[in-house]
Amino acid sequence: MCSCIPELTVAWSRELSSGPFVAAPLIADIDADGRLDVAVASFAGDIDVVRGSDSQHQPGSYWPLRLTDTSVHSSPLQVSALVYCIVVSRL
């Protein structure tokens, strides 16, 4: 085994959506607390952000966000403290 590959361990595991994911998550400091968060968007229209340290929602946050009659076709994109996704309406 190559000594240059670090041994990885699972820090946490959590179901964030019942729909499939079509893009990579965004790992960034979404809430400006100095720690990394994980933002995901599923094809089913679920957008969720959890703390990277323990997979919990930030107290008082509005996550998860459930969009109806839409589907998400991109990874989340952070601009300042806002999270954006490309959303397509099913109408």
Side-chain angles (χ1 to χ4, degrees), residues 16-64:
L16 295 172
S17 173
S18 60
F21 293 95
V22 295
L26 168 68
I27 300 175
D29 184 8
I30 304 295
D31 54 9
D33 66 354
R35 294 177 290 186
L36 293 177
D37 304 299
V38 179
V40 296
S42 76
F43 188 72
D46 301 326
I47 302 173
D48 207 347
V49 176
V50 295
R51 294 185 300 223
S53 59
D54 62 6
S55 80
Q56 300 302 306
H57 292 109
Q58 195 73 337
S61 71
Y62 51 85
W63 306 108

Side-chain angles (χ1 to χ4, degrees), residues 23-26 39-41 47-48 74-78 83-85:
L26 168 68
V40 296
I47 302 173
D48 207 347
S74 74
S75 293
L77 171 68
Q78 182 179 13
V83 175
Y84 295 94
C85 293

